[in-house]
Amino acid sequence: MAADHPRTATLLMHCPDQPGVVAAVTRFLAGHGANIVDLDQHVDRADGVFFMRVRWELEGFTLDAGAFSQAFQTTIADPFQAVWQLHDNARPLRMALFVSKMSHCLYDLLSRWQSGEWRVEIPLIISNHDTLRPVAEQFGIPFHCFPISADNRADQEAAEVELLTRHEVDLVVLARYMQIVGPTLIDAFPQRIINIHHSFLPAFAGARPYHAAHARGVKIIGATSHYVTLDLDAGPIIEQDVTRITHRDSVKALVRKGQDLEKLVLARGIWAHLQRQTLVYQNRTIVFS
Amino acid sequence: MAADHPRTATLLMHCPDQPGVVAAVTRFLAGHGANIVDLDQHVDRADGVFFMRVRWELEGFTLDAGAFSQAFQTTIADPFQAVWQLHDNARPLRMALFVSKMSHCLYDLLSRWQSGEWRVEIPLIISNHDTLRPVAEQFGIPFHCFPISADNRADQEAAEVELLTRHEVDLVVLARYMQIVGPTLIDAFPQRIINIHHSFLPAFAGARPYHAAHARGVKIIGATSHYVTLDLDAGPIIEQDVTRITHRDSVKALVRKGQDLEKLVLARGIWAHLQRQTLVYQNRTIVFS
Amino acid sequence: MAADHPRTATLLMHCPDQPGVVAAVTRFLAGHGANIVDLDQHVDRADGVFFMRVRWELEGFTLDAGAFSQAFQTTIADPFQAVWQLHDNARPLRMALFVSKMSHCLYDLLSRWQSGEWRVEIPLIISNHDTLRPVAEQFGIPFHCFPISADNRADQEAAEVELLTRHEVDLVVLARYMQIVGPTLIDAFPQRIINIHHSFLPAFAGARPYHAAHARGVKIIGATSHYVTLDLDAGPIIEQDVTRITHRDSVKALVRKGQDLEKLVLARGIWAHLQRQTLVYQNRTIVFS
Amino acid sequence: MAADHPRTATLLMHCPDQPGVVAAVTRFLAGHGANIVDLDQHVDRADGVFFMRVRWELEGFTLDAGAFSQAFQTTIADPFQAVWQLHDNARPLRMALFVSKMSHCLYDLLSRWQSGEWRVEIPLIISNHDTLRPVAEQFGIPFHCFPISADNRADQEAAEVELLTRHEVDLVVLARYMQIVGPTLIDAFPQRIINIHHSFLPAFAGARPYHAAHARGVKIIGATSHYVTLDLDAGPIIEQDVTRITHRDSVKALVRKGQDLEKLVLARGIWAHLQRQTLVYQNRTIVFS
């Protein structure tokens, strides 16, 4: 992601499965001077859907965004009934972090940003508590507190959406934000809100998953990053990972071991989104390689 | 487990947590000439229960099973309110296998037995179908077919129990046995029936877990070996493991990858039982190291 | 792999990286009526090499093997300087197993074959000892014993090659074959001999890796399947996996845990080869997805 | 580790294996009013050595450190030829961090400290470069720069040892400190310097392990935390972990994935030390559970 990298664009698309799609798309791109650097496709035979991600160098490519849109729609999207997105990878995404009282994911994400590991902008942090304001200040990020209750959720979320929109936020990350997110926020950022849930979903959805895991006596615990939908803890999964536990591990030990998983699984989920590797279809996430 | 190993005995016990248990037990054993080769203890602070596994060499030990029982009960079990089991490790366990139509776990277990990897006896294989009779014959193990329906389950299980008892079976292994096991069989072998379930429990309990995992879009699948209780797929878990999948994996691919997990997780669960490393308490399994 | 699957062909190719390769190949295939079912490509930027695997349905494809060869060579391979292989997936591969005295990998592979999990033919088993003849007989596979010493290696391998060639063997699998393989055999089956090494290569190459791992005090052990080259344990790696151990594990315990890894890692390596997913370049293996 | 936890002490010991050790130690502790909360023992049969870790509540225990030392030496250590350490767990350890230019491990450790996840004190950070001074300042920890060359190593290390001693440092952590550590520092902190090496040791010891892993074409990379000895990258291993890679991963991608491993494996190694779970014997580390 260094500044001297060649500028690239990424196309994500899906359409009904049919012969000739790859040939048509690659011929289209080559015909306008694209040097393809990544191409990954997938066919879901059960659903009859074709998925593709292509990334190419912009140097020598003869279409700008507007011209691409018109030409691609006519030449490819219309005849193949394709749904598509185009991303210019030169522009860093703008990511807002939502937190509550636990700091481990927040520290992890801020460190990746501050060290330059991730090329991303973090214009603001939002919380329903004031607890983590000092961490935000330590890293120099504006911190906004929106206390939420069932009564004021819609209003507070409307204010949050206004703030997020004003800051041109592309992606919302719920970094152990312990509040239900309602339709106001979700509708404003469809497939652009990533949550970390502290269990191996669909096991132990809902509250207090470490307590539930301990009570059930499982031998492995997990964490799951997923896009947020109106259905709690049921959105499209981006990434999961697990760690082994034993009968010796108290709930407190599960929390400690689990927090390391949460940091990692959330970071990997965000990374996949930043790289434009994800495409949601029917509540499942294609993660291109 | 070679024949020239020193003969050992294993004691498994639990009692209310209280000072002095380890001291009392180890003094008792040392006082009768035991050379302890393994000792592992665990205290569940939430429940206030103490668990211990001790293994010692029988050479030089001055108590036989009867004398041990009387002395241990008086000296330790009564004052400490302990529940205990004593096992003479010289005697190989006798294990019955229950199968249906899928052979992967059956082959794996028979290979471990035939190659001498496990010191265990397999006096018989029971199935609700005739499909795998040739595999049993190939390995020279008697095969008994008991077709089961909801109507005849209790009667067939009674016949199975009679057969298992006659063969002095210690442990029943459900090696992808696709039939509900009822109280007749379960009551006859409490905490001595091990099942392999083809998911990461409690996720995807019940039928067709690979289909359910595919539909949910998880990124990891698992398998679980557990003791069988009347509550379907909810018995005490012995061992679990997982493997990573991607959006490319069809249900068929999940089945293929999952079968390797099933073999491994079932084998590890059985191994822990054979080594007398497991102790069930309150629907959870302590697996001593 | 069921018989009613549509017949497919797989093309593996690599060439100097240059614009337009994917477009040219997919246009070539589409132009002759191919319905592409899988396409995976990879560009090694450091070496400037382009790799591709394409699989398509043969129904409706207008070129037979001979016509394909001529047309593809002229249209694609010559202008792009591509090296390529074409495989008709209808023909099951013929796999010979080499073993010594340990049976765990042998049982595992024979079970996958006999149960129909793998669509492969096993015309013969070769060993430098007579120990495992009964296992071969139990599964009904011809067993040939070639005792090997440094003195007679070249002669014995020449006899083995003659036998393998007569049986039209495509792939040789060293399933814990504890003998050095010499140039006679390797030259006859370039990139078609798969070995399982019982360590996480390059750690603990050579003899007695479990002893070495125990002495070093590692906390994880592994296994590696790789193509065999003249450089011992240094051939292109296909697959690796690991398992966690502790200070409690004796060398004997490492062997026991490691054997489960060996079975799994060898099976996955063979599976990738059978699916024509592997392409060797510069001592590394591309494993297409 | 909350302040309201009962105060405990931890004893680590080893001695020649012999009957009656556990009985003698537990009787000794019970005789002075100890309530044992953890006991883990291990016998290395190959070397004939017995290892034990015991932790007990200090409330009601009748010996202070001085009295314990005298009584334990006479009653246990002398007759059993035991080597032992006693730790009062009430005192937080004091940990110094050594860094160079990479910040990922530093951020991770400082976050665990600042959030209170770890009960540890970090009196200072030492570096051979000035690069990470701003991170130290951001977290309010004194930062000392000691540029090192082959010529001045012994002198600079002597100055570092003086500084560490003055700050009563218990544990030195090399958090991606890219300098060879010499005998001056190592002799001052025997088995109290923990390093993170960015490979799965013993594979890829020395410089540039990610480049070496890429060149070898491994399918898994790892990280190793270990106590530092004079033998480079060959000290007793505390913890290792791995992550899967593919042919798609460039050296840059290995570095990115590996850094997450490094953070985790270093943190786990330090945690085990802080919990007094580690005991080094013959270049291997016992990690008690």
Side-chain angles (χ1 to χ4, degrees):
Chain A
M1 301 302 293
D4 57 348
H5 263 214
R7 278 186 58 219
T8 60
T10 299
L11 172 75
L12 293 166
M13 63 171 277
H14 65 87
C15 65
D17 187 28
Q18 57 204 293
V21 194
V22 177
V25 173
T26 54
R27 190 169 49 213
F28 172 87
L29 291 173
H32 293 97
N35 184 23
I36 294 175
V37 290
D38 284 325
L39 183 153
D40 192 16
Q41 57 98 51
H42 167 63
V43 177
D44 185 321
R45 308 217 156 267
D47 290 351
V49 184
F50 172 89
F51 302 90
M52 189 161 68
R53 176 184 185 267
V54 199
R55 193 165 66 94
W56 64 92
E57 294 180 1
L58 285 174
E59 184 170 335
F61 191 57
T62 58
L63 302 176
D64 65 14
F68 178 92
S69 180
Q70 197 172 346
F72 190 79
Q73 187 65 38
T74 311
T75 317
I76 307 287
D78 287 342
F80 288 100
Q81 299 174 266
V83 176
W84 60 279
Q85 326 158 20
L86 179 72
H87 301 285
D88 180 344
N89 299 315
R91 194 177 73 80
L93 267 74
R94 292 171 66 78
M95 172 167 87
L97 306 181
F98 278 51
V99 297
S100 290
K101 294 181 174 173
M102 269 169 298
S103 62
H104 55 288
C105 287
L106 178 61
Y107 273 118
D108 186 69
L109 300 177
L110 292 177
S111 306
R112 292 174 195 271
W113 162 75
Q114 195 176 64
S115 69
E117 179 188 330
W118 285 357
R119 204 170 64 94
V120 70
E121 292 169 4
I122 305 182
L124 77 165
I125 296 170
I126 286 177
S127 182
N128 55 335
H129 294 283
D130 226 41
T131 316
L132 297 179
R133 186 181 294 274
V135 181
E137 286 172 353
Q138 182 179 337
F139 284 82
I141 312 265
F143 182 90
H144 301 265
C145 188
F146 290 84
I148 303 257
S149 64
D151 288 345
N152 71 357
R153 177 169 297 122
D155 287 350
Q156 292 288 65
E157 290 196 351
E160 289 169 351
V161 167
E162 192 279 326
L163 189 64
L164 295 168
T165 307
R166 185 144 43 85
H167 281 88
E168 299 178 45
V169 163
D170 299 294
L171 175 67
V172 171
V173 171
L174 310 184
R176 292 303 307 274
Y177 177 65
M178 306 309 279
Q179 257 294 330
I180 287 171
V181 173
T184 309
L185 190 52
I186 292 173
D187 290 351
F189 290 89
Q191 296 169 9
R192 293 193 290 143
I193 308 177
I194 296 178
N195 182 47
I196 179 70
H197 183 75
H198 41 314
S199 84
F200 181 85
L201 289 175
F204 311 123
R208 293 164 73 84
Y210 293 125
H211 288 79
H214 188 263
R216 180 62 188 91
V218 293
K219 298 303 185 188
I220 286 175
I221 56 169
T224 304
S225 57
H226 63 94
Y227 289 109
V228 173
T229 60
L230 283 172
D231 210 352
L232 185 68
D233 296 336
I237 293 170
I238 311 172
E239 168 69 355
Q240 302 187 289
D241 209 344
V242 299
T243 200
R244 196 164 277 274
I245 59 168
T246 78
H247 61 271
R248 295 179 188 283
D249 288 302
S250 61
V251 171
K252 199 171 187 171
L254 298 197
V255 169
R256 186 178 58 76
K257 292 184 174 181
Q259 289 184 346
D260 281 349
L261 271 184
E262 296 163 27
K263 294 193 295 192
L264 207 55
V265 169
L266 178 56
R268 287 192 199 138
I270 296 170
W271 173 259
H273 185 96
L274 296 180
Q275 299 303 105
R276 305 297 192 183
Q277 291 177 291
T278 61
L279 201 164
V280 171
Y281 184 80
Q282 305 275 47
N283 210 43
R284 282 181 287 174
T285 309
I286 312 291
V287 184
F288 291 106
S289 52
Chain B
M1 302 301 293
D4 58 347
H5 262 213
R7 278 185 58 218
T8 60
T10 299
L11 172 75
L12 292 167
M13 63 172 277
H14 64 88
C15 64
D17 186 28
Q18 56 204 291
V21 193
V22 177
V25 173
T26 55
R27 190 170 51 212
F28 172 87
L29 290 173
H32 292 98
N35 185 22
I36 293 174
V37 290
D38 282 326
L39 182 153
D40 191 16
Q41 57 99 50
H42 168 62
V43 177
D44 185 321
R45 306 217 159 269
D47 289 351
V49 185
F50 171 90
F51 301 91
M52 189 161 69
R53 177 183 184 267
V54 199
R55 194 167 64 95
W56 64 91
E57 294 180 2
L58 285 174
E59 184 170 335
F61 191 58
T62 58
L63 301 175
D64 65 13
F68 178 92
S69 179
Q70 197 172 347
F72 190 79
Q73 187 65 38
T74 310
T75 316
I76 307 286
D78 287 342
F80 289 99
Q81 298 176 265
V83 177
W84 59 278
Q85 325 157 21
L86 179 72
H87 301 285
D88 180 345
N89 299 316
R91 195 177 71 80
L93 266 74
R94 293 171 65 78
M95 174 167 87
L97 306 181
F98 278 52
V99 296
S100 290
K101 293 180 175 175
M102 269 169 298
S103 63
H104 55 289
C105 287
L106 179 61
Y107 273 119
D108 186 68
L109 299 177
L110 292 177
S111 305
R112 291 174 195 271
W113 161 74
Q114 195 177 63
S115 68
E117 179 188 330
W118 285 357
R119 204 172 62 94
V120 70
E121 291 169 4
I122 303 181
L124 77 165
I125 295 169
I126 286 177
S127 182
N128 56 335
H129 295 282
D130 226 41
T131 317
L132 297 179
R133 185 181 294 276
V135 180
E137 285 172 353
Q138 182 180 336
F139 284 81
I141 313 264
F143 183 91
H144 302 264
C145 188
F146 290 86
I148 304 258
S149 64
D151 290 344
N152 72 358
R153 177 170 295 122
D155 287 350
Q156 290 289 65
E157 289 195 351
E160 289 169 351
V161 168
E162 191 279 325
L163 189 64
L164 295 168
T165 307
R166 185 144 45 84
H167 281 90
E168 299 179 46
V169 162
D170 299 294
L171 176 67
V172 171
V173 171
L174 309 184
R176 290 303 308 274
Y177 178 65
M178 306 308 281
Q179 257 294 329
I180 288 171
V181 173
T184 309
L185 190 53
I186 292 173
D187 291 350
F189 290 89
Q191 294 168 9
R192 293 193 290 143
I193 307 178
I194 295 178
N195 182 47
I196 179 72
H197 183 75
H198 41 314
S199 83
F200 182 85
L201 289 175
F204 311 123
R208 295 165 70 85
Y210 292 125
H211 288 78
H214 188 263
R216 179 63 187 91
V218 293
K219 298 303 185 188
I220 287 176
I221 56 169
T224 305
S225 57
H226 63 92
Y227 289 109
V228 173
T229 60
L230 284 173
D231 211 353
L232 184 68
D233 296 334
I237 293 171
I238 310 171
E239 168 70 355
Q240 301 187 289
D241 210 344
V242 298
T243 200
R244 198 164 276 275
I245 59 168
T246 77
H247 60 271
R248 297 180 187 282
D249 289 303
S250 61
V251 171
K252 198 171 187 172
L254 298 197
V255 169
R256 186 178 59 76
K257 292 184 174 182
Q259 288 185 346
D260 280 349
L261 271 184
E262 296 163 26
K263 294 194 295 192
L264 208 56
V265 169
L266 178 57
R268 287 192 200 137
I270 296 171
W271 173 260
H273 184 97
L274 295 179
Q275 298 303 104
R276 306 295 195 185
Q277 291 177 290
T278 61
L279 202 164
V280 171
Y281 183 79
Q282 304 276 48
N283 209 43
R284 281 180 289 173
T285 308
I286 312 292
V287 182
F288 292 105
S289 52
Chain C
M1 304 299 294
D4 57 348
H5 262 212
R7 278 185 60 219
T8 60
T10 299
L11 172 75
L12 293 166
M13 64 171 276
H14 65 87
C15 65
D17 187 28
Q18 56 204 293
V21 193
V22 177
V25 173
T26 54
R27 190 170 49 211
F28 171 86
L29 291 173
H32 293 97
N35 185 23
I36 293 175
V37 290
D38 282 326
L39 182 153
D40 192 17
Q41 57 98 50
H42 167 63
V43 177
D44 185 321
R45 307 215 158 271
D47 289 351
V49 184
F50 171 89
F51 302 90
M52 190 162 65
R53 176 184 184 265
V54 199
R55 193 166 66 95
W56 64 92
E57 294 180 3
L58 285 175
E59 184 169 336
F61 191 59
T62 57
L63 301 176
D64 66 13
F68 177 93
S69 179
Q70 197 172 345
F72 190 80
Q73 187 65 39
T74 310
T75 316
I76 307 286
D78 287 343
F80 289 99
Q81 298 175 267
V83 178
W84 59 278
Q85 326 157 20
L86 179 71
H87 301 285
D88 180 344
N89 299 315
R91 194 178 72 81
L93 266 75
R94 293 171 65 78
M95 174 167 87
L97 306 180
F98 278 52
V99 297
S100 289
K101 294 180 174 175
M102 269 169 298
S103 62
H104 55 289
C105 287
L106 179 61
Y107 274 118
D108 186 68
L109 299 177
L110 292 176
S111 305
R112 291 175 196 270
W113 161 75
Q114 196 177 61
S115 68
E117 179 187 330
W118 285 355
R119 203 171 64 94
V120 70
E121 292 168 5
I122 305 181
L124 77 165
I125 296 169
I126 286 177
S127 182
N128 56 335
H129 295 282
D130 226 40
T131 316
L132 296 179
R133 185 182 294 276
V135 180
E137 286 173 352
Q138 181 180 336
F139 284 81
I141 312 265
F143 182 92
H144 302 264
C145 187
F146 290 85
I148 303 258
S149 65
D151 288 346
N152 71 358
R153 175 168 298 122
D155 288 350
Q156 292 287 66
E157 290 195 351
E160 289 169 351
V161 168
E162 190 279 325
L163 189 63
L164 295 168
T165 308
R166 185 144 43 84
H167 281 88
E168 298 177 46
V169 163
D170 299 294
L171 176 66
V172 172
V173 171
L174 310 183
R176 292 301 307 275
Y177 178 67
M178 306 308 281
Q179 258 294 331
I180 288 170
V181 173
T184 309
L185 189 52
I186 292 172
D187 291 351
F189 290 89
Q191 295 168 8
R192 294 194 290 143
I193 308 177
I194 296 178
N195 183 47
I196 179 72
H197 183 74
H198 41 314
S199 84
F200 182 85
L201 289 174
F204 311 124
R208 294 164 72 85
Y210 293 125
H211 288 78
H214 188 263
R216 180 63 187 90
V218 293
K219 299 301 186 189
I220 287 175
I221 55 169
T224 305
S225 57
H226 63 94
Y227 289 109
V228 173
T229 59
L230 283 172
D231 210 352
L232 185 67
D233 298 333
I237 293 170
I238 311 171
E239 168 69 355
Q240 302 188 290
D241 209 344
V242 299
T243 200
R244 197 165 275 275
I245 59 168
T246 78
H247 60 271
R248 296 180 187 283
D249 289 301
S250 61
V251 172
K252 198 172 188 171
L254 298 197
V255 170
R256 186 178 59 76
K257 292 184 174 182
Q259 288 185 346
D260 281 348
L261 272 183
E262 295 163 27
K263 293 194 294 192
L264 207 56
V265 169
L266 178 56
R268 287 191 200 138
I270 296 171
W271 173 260
H273 184 96
L274 296 180
Q275 299 302 105
R276 305 297 193 185
Q277 292 177 290
T278 61
L279 201 164
V280 170
Y281 183 79
Q282 303 275 48
N283 210 42
R284 281 181 288 174
T285 309
I286 312 291
V287 183
F288 292 104
S289 52
Chain D
M1 300 302 291
D4 58 348
H5 262 212
R7 278 186 58 219
T8 60
T10 299
L11 173 74
L12 292 167
M13 63 171 277
H14 64 88
C15 65
D17 187 29
Q18 55 204 292
V21 194
V22 177
V25 173
T26 55
R27 190 168 52 212
F28 172 86
L29 291 173
H32 293 97
N35 185 24
I36 294 175
V37 290
D38 283 326
L39 183 153
D40 191 17
Q41 57 99 51
H42 168 63
V43 177
D44 185 321
R45 308 218 157 268
D47 288 352
V49 185
F50 171 90
F51 302 90
M52 188 161 69
R53 176 183 185 266
V54 199
R55 193 167 65 95
W56 65 91
E57 294 180 1
L58 285 174
E59 184 171 334
F61 191 58
T62 58
L63 302 175
D64 65 13
F68 178 92
S69 179
Q70 197 171 346
F72 189 79
Q73 187 65 39
T74 311
T75 317
I76 306 287
D78 286 343
F80 288 100
Q81 299 175 265
V83 177
W84 60 278
Q85 326 158 20
L86 179 71
H87 301 285
D88 181 345
N89 299 315
R91 194 177 73 79
L93 267 74
R94 292 171 65 79
M95 173 167 88
L97 307 182
F98 277 53
V99 297
S100 290
K101 293 181 175 173
M102 269 170 296
S103 62
H104 55 289
C105 288
L106 178 61
Y107 274 118
D108 186 68
L109 300 176
L110 292 177
S111 306
R112 291 174 195 272
W113 161 75
Q114 196 178 61
S115 68
E117 178 188 330
W118 285 356
R119 203 170 64 93
V120 70
E121 291 168 5
I122 304 181
L124 76 166
I125 296 170
I126 286 177
S127 183
N128 55 335
H129 294 283
D130 226 40
T131 316
L132 298 180
R133 186 183 293 275
V135 180
E137 287 172 353
Q138 181 180 337
F139 284 82
I141 312 263
F143 183 91
H144 302 263
C145 187
F146 290 85
I148 304 257
S149 64
D151 288 345
N152 71 359
R153 177 170 296 124
D155 288 349
Q156 291 288 66
E157 290 196 350
E160 289 168 349
V161 167
E162 192 278 327
L163 188 64
L164 295 167
T165 306
R166 185 145 44 84
H167 281 88
E168 299 179 47
V169 162
D170 299 294
L171 176 67
V172 171
V173 171
L174 310 184
R176 294 301 308 274
Y177 178 66
M178 306 309 280
Q179 257 294 330
I180 288 171
V181 174
T184 309
L185 189 53
I186 292 173
D187 291 351
F189 290 89
Q191 295 167 9
R192 294 193 290 144
I193 307 177
I194 295 179
N195 182 48
I196 179 71
H197 184 75
H198 41 314
S199 84
F200 182 85
L201 289 174
F204 311 123
R208 295 167 69 85
Y210 293 125
H211 288 79
H214 188 263
R216 180 60 186 91
V218 293
K219 299 302 185 187
I220 286 175
I221 56 169
T224 305
S225 57
H226 63 93
Y227 289 109
V228 172
T229 60
L230 284 172
D231 210 352
L232 184 68
D233 297 333
I237 293 170
I238 311 171
E239 168 69 355
Q240 302 187 289
D241 209 344
V242 298
T243 201
R244 196 165 277 274
I245 59 168
T246 78
H247 61 270
R248 296 180 187 281
D249 289 302
S250 61
V251 172
K252 198 172 188 172
L254 298 197
V255 169
R256 186 178 58 76
K257 293 184 174 182
Q259 288 185 346
D260 281 347
L261 271 183
E262 295 163 27
K263 293 194 295 191
L264 206 56
V265 169
L266 178 56
R268 287 191 200 139
I270 296 171
W271 173 260
H273 185 96
L274 295 180
Q275 299 303 104
R276 305 297 193 185
Q277 291 177 292
T278 61
L279 202 165
V280 170
Y281 184 79
Q282 305 274 48
N283 210 43
R284 281 180 288 174
T285 309
I286 313 291
V287 183
F288 292 105
S289 53

